[in-house]
Amino acid sequence: MAKRAEPLPDPACAASDVGQQIVRWLTHLRAERRLSPKTLEAYARDVRQCLMFLGQHWSEMVTLERFAALEPSDIRAFMAARRADDIGGRSLMRSLAGLRSFARFLEREGLGKVGALGAIRAPKVGKSLPKPIHMSAAKRFADASERAGEDREPWIWARDAAVMALLYGSGLRISEALGLKRRDVPLPGAGDVLVVTGKGNKTRMVPVLQNVLALIHEYVAMCPHSLAPEGPIFVGARGGTLRARIIQLVMARMRGALGLPDSATPHALRHSFATHLLSRGGDLRAIQELLGHASLSTTQIYTGIDSERLLDVYRTAHPRA
């Protein structure tokens, strides 16, 4: 499959040498850093937006030489313009990270040092806790009978239930679940571990429950399409690649029927997996390994969720003086 071309800056605002270096930078990030396509797309878009802003801000073409001469006030003006467009703190942080990455690449290539970016502080972002789904509701997402009456073939119900059971039962990212090959998934009773490929093409082993394997096996038996051992185990209605958007839409319909908030997404099932393990005495380091987090600090956010739950219990049950 041909790789999608990365977006280049508008030639009206940036010189061709800038566009060429952006392509080289993104190729480097893809090949050496193994960043995900979505991250690459976001970085390319952020740098393009900055170059378009600078072209208008300076009323002149942005060249590599002019870009290297950036002033801190230019970056602050760009960030202020983005904030005026109601861009949140996290998106601004990503924009700054993308610009710094591009600047470091130019410096390594001997094409100028953009010192101004080092003088800019990243915007503060308030920590927001993930919103897990209640245990009973999470289990209902993995019950194909919840969708009885929908105008869909039963094997599709079974497929969606198996995917959601895997997200909740093993804490997988949706991309990890949909990336599983048929040969990767043992038959019920023939194994209890999956080897999944996560961010940065890193592999890890995660346990899988036998009832989840039974749901996957039930779906495979019902699936009308041929599932090759080296091909994906979860396929779309026509036998092609199953897109994450399909599962997202399924959960959107189901959460409406179950009376759940918009935060009940496929990724929330992964949050639920971690939160429910922690609330039952799970070790934080073990949960980090299961989730495939590079840093323990990423996993520690779930301790905040558990603390909130304990405080809610305290506020509700503690006798007032």
Side-chain angles (χ1 to χ4, degrees):
M1 182 182 295
K3 291 181 179 177
R4 181 174 55 187
E6 305 293 354
L8 296 176
D10 188 331
C13 70
S16 60
D17 59 349
V18 176
Q20 290 167 2
Q21 294 308 319
I22 288 177
V23 171
R24 293 187 62 229
W25 165 58
L26 293 171
T27 301
H28 164 75
L29 292 180
R30 182 190 299 112
E32 302 297 327
R33 298 284 305 283
R34 295 184 177 181
L35 297 187
S36 72
K38 286 187 176 180
T39 300
L40 291 173
E41 184 179 346
Y43 272 13
R45 184 173 59 248
D46 291 337
V47 170
R48 180 175 184 271
Q49 287 171 340
C50 182
L51 293 172
M52 292 176 67
F53 170 82
L54 292 174
Q56 296 171 356
H57 183 61
W58 292 334
S59 299
E60 64 179 85
M61 184 81 71
V62 181
T63 63
L64 287 176
E65 183 179 2
R66 186 68 179 90
F67 185 73
L70 269 174
E71 296 288 340
S73 59
D74 298 322
I75 301 298
R76 293 192 187 98
F78 169 64
M79 304 290 273
R82 298 295 287 152
R83 280 198 182 278
D85 290 335
D86 291 329
I87 301 301
R90 291 188 185 278
S91 295
L92 287 174
M93 283 182 65
R94 188 199 62 221
S95 293
L96 198 53
L99 287 168
R100 284 172 172 163
S101 174
F102 182 49
R104 286 194 298 270
F105 174 80
L106 294 178
E107 184 175 353
R108 284 196 301 269
E109 295 296 305
L111 297 172
K113 182 175 181 179
V114 189
L117 286 166
I120 302 297
R121 291 185 179 181
K124 293 183 178 180
V125 179
K127 289 186 177 180
S128 58
L129 294 177
K131 296 179 174 58
I133 302 169
H134 191 274
M135 195 177 300
S136 60
K139 291 178 179 178
R140 290 179 70 180
F141 279 108
D143 186 352
S145 66
E146 290 284 345
R147 297 173 62 193
E150 284 189 23
D151 187 21
R152 302 290 286 173
E153 296 180 54
W155 77 268
I156 290 181
W157 298 351
R159 177 201 67 192
D160 298 343
V163 171
M164 289 185 280
L166 197 51
L167 299 181
Y168 178 53
S170 294
L172 302 189
R173 301 177 178 94
I174 190 168
S175 59
E176 294 170 346
L178 301 188
L180 288 170
K181 309 295 185 187
R182 184 176 181 181
R183 66 177 179 226
D184 297 333
V185 183
L187 293 172
D192 58 4
V193 170
L194 297 174
V195 177
V196 301
T197 303
K199 289 185 175 181
N201 284 331
K202 294 179 181 178
T203 59
R204 70 182 190 280
M205 291 194 300
V206 296
V208 59
L209 299 170
Q210 292 301 309
N211 63 323
V212 174
L213 290 176
L215 287 173
I216 296 174
H217 182 64
E218 181 181 348
Y219 145 69
V220 169
M222 297 171 67
C223 182
H225 304 292
S226 176
L227 302 175
E230 66 279 4
I233 192 165
F234 297 114
V235 297
R238 297 182 180 180
T241 302
L242 177 60
R243 294 179 294 113
R245 183 61 180 157
I246 298 298
I247 303 301
Q248 290 167 349
L249 290 173
V250 169
M251 282 200 68
R253 288 195 295 269
M254 290 188 70
R255 71 182 176 230
L258 297 175
L260 296 173
D262 290 347
S263 59
T265 63
H267 205 68
L269 290 173
R270 175 173 156 89
H271 292 323
S272 304
F273 164 84
T275 307
H276 297 163
L277 279 182
L278 188 62
S279 67
R280 295 194 168 198
D283 177 73
L284 199 61
R285 283 283 184 190
I287 295 172
Q288 176 194 358
E289 293 294 327
L290 291 174
L291 293 174
H293 285 161
S295 168
L296 184 64
S297 62
T298 307
T299 316
Q300 284 175 328
I301 193 170
Y302 295 107
T303 63
I305 298 172
D306 205 43
S307 298
E308 280 206 343
R309 184 184 63 82
L310 291 173
L311 286 172
D312 285 341
V313 171
Y314 171 81
R315 295 186 189 106
T316 303
H318 191 278
R320 300 297 188 268

